[in-house]
Amino acid sequence: MKIYLCRDNLVYIQRLLQARLPDDEVLLCAAHEIVAAAQDAQVLIPTFSTIDAAALAAPRLRLVQQFGAGLDGVDIAAATANNVPVANVPAAGTGNAESVAELTLLFMLALARRYHVAQQTFAEGKFGSPVGMALKGKTAAIIGYGGIGREVARRLAGFEMTVLALSRSGPKNTPEENAIPVAAHYPAAQLLDCLSQADFVIVAPPLNDDTRGMIGTAQLRAMKAGAFIINVARGPVVDYAALLAALQSGHLAGAGLDVFWHEPFDPADPLLSCNVVVTPHVAGSTDLSLQGIADKVVENINRVRAGLLPFNCVNGESVTN
């Protein structure tokens, strides 16, 4: 098979996949080359790129397999119309959820301990300031309590924080979920109540029609004055204009962002002149996570090779393989 990674700088991932698929060709293509590459591909791996109807009409294409969870850049309807299965790798069980949770803690600690200010005062030869905020005794609300949310909650327990969770339907009461200490688990209809109690809000749901813009002006106003927000989901889950206004007004004390409304994001954007800690969409980019995801991707490629539908196929009821 010919397998195209749809981003030309993912050499590390290319090597992981090629080592696991020695009889196949794992190739890189730039965003502007995707439609042409699709004509030669049996498998497209979107990464951060858009896979549109023109690419999905390619006659040899047998699978669109995300290297991770997010499929917001793939035209699922066009894939289904062309009988192309589309699959992802959920965050749980690969090391990805754990890696995203670790970066979430980095954001929380950097914001709480005023890391940027501390670096500046050190450079100025000043010691003993700034005064930071302890995590112990504070409340964190995790919006989107899936694989990532559970791993965040598991780690926050060690900081002796009160953890609130919110998911679409509320608690499932599974043994896995019940093993993690959570003070309250809310359904989506109680979002404002959940937000109003938190010193830190961690945004971690998938991006879909229900979650796009779910954190907007009303939701940010419901948060405590001086609270922090961290987004490790997708940029559009949080309304950009509402977040900028909440930060510029001082209602929110700061934000941690690994995801943005378009990527790459303009480093001169006015949002970044606020108290915002940023990373370039790398929450899941660790040795543990990338190797775990690669194993799942290869498993699905081999399933398609054998004439089977891939695991976690989002249009599996509508395509045949």
Side-chain angles (χ1 to χ4, degrees):
M1 284 189 177
K2 285 192 176 181
I3 302 154
Y4 279 87
L5 276 162
C6 300
R7 185 65 72 94
D8 56 6
N9 62 344
L10 300 178
V11 176
Y12 182 81
I13 295 175
Q14 180 190 29
R15 289 173 179 167
L16 288 176
L17 293 176
Q18 190 66 77
R20 290 162 169 77
L21 296 165
D23 297 326
D24 297 310
E25 289 186 82
V26 182
L27 306 165
L28 301 176
C29 67
H32 69 277
E33 300 171 327
I34 292 173
V35 174
Q39 309 308 308
D40 190 42
Q42 283 81 49
V43 180
L44 289 178
I45 299 177
T47 64
F48 301 110
S49 300
T50 298
I51 308 296
D52 62 16
L56 292 162
R60 301 180 65 198
L61 189 62
R62 296 178 62 187
L63 173 66
V64 174
Q65 171 66 58
Q66 183 59 290
F67 197 92
L71 288 169
D72 40 291
V74 180
D75 188 333
I76 305 294
T80 303
N82 286 284
N83 203 40
V84 177
V86 178
N88 67 354
V89 180
T94 62
N96 184 65
E98 294 85 348
S99 298
V100 176
E102 289 177 5
L103 189 73
T104 300
L105 293 183
L106 172 66
F107 283 142
M108 293 176 69
L109 289 166
L111 291 165
R113 300 307 295 266
R114 303 175 66 189
Y115 182 73
H116 284 339
V117 178
Q119 292 291 288
Q120 181 61 38
T121 55
F122 180 88
E124 294 171 355
K126 301 175 184 177
F127 278 68
S129 67
V131 175
M133 172 193 292
L135 298 187
K136 179 179 178 178
K138 303 303 189 299
T139 298
I142 301 170
I143 309 305
Y145 198 62
I148 292 170
R150 287 192 297 272
E151 293 302 326
V152 172
R154 194 190 308 276
R155 285 154 179 77
L156 293 184
F159 285 87
E160 299 180 60
M161 297 187 73
T162 297
V163 178
L164 310 177
L166 181 137
S167 58
R168 183 170 52 187
S169 56
K172 298 177 177 61
N173 293 315
T174 62
E176 179 186 19
E177 187 175 288
N178 292 338
I180 303 170
V182 171
H185 188 158
Y186 297 92
Q190 294 182 262
L191 175 59
L192 296 183
D193 291 339
C194 184
L195 293 172
S196 69
Q197 302 174 61
D199 302 292
F200 294 86
V201 170
I202 296 106
V203 180
L207 177 63
N208 53 44
D209 290 342
D210 293 329
T211 63
R212 187 179 299 273
M214 73 178 293
I215 306 296
T217 299
Q219 290 74 30
L220 294 173
R221 285 178 179 167
M223 289 173 60
K224 290 181 179 180
F228 299 98
I229 189 167
I230 292 159
N231 189 0
V232 290
R234 286 292 187 270
V237 175
V238 179
D239 182 87
Y240 167 85
L243 178 59
L244 178 61
L247 289 166
Q248 288 181 333
S249 71
H251 177 66
L252 293 187
L257 304 175
D258 183 57
V259 291
F260 301 87
W261 298 265
H262 51 84
E263 298 175 356
F265 195 66
D266 182 2
D269 191 277
L271 185 73
L272 303 185
S273 64
C274 303
N275 183 29
V276 177
V277 180
V278 298
T279 50
H281 205 148
V282 294
S285 295
T286 67
D287 52 350
L288 175 69
S289 174
L290 295 182
Q291 292 183 48
I293 294 171
D295 290 340
K296 297 294 186 181
V297 168
V298 168
E299 183 178 20
N300 268 354
I301 290 170
N302 286 330
R303 283 181 63 82
V304 169
R305 195 195 316 272
L308 303 171
L309 280 173
F311 292 123
N312 301 302
C313 184
V314 300
N315 58 346
E317 295 181 357
S318 304
V319 299
T320 56
N321 205 34

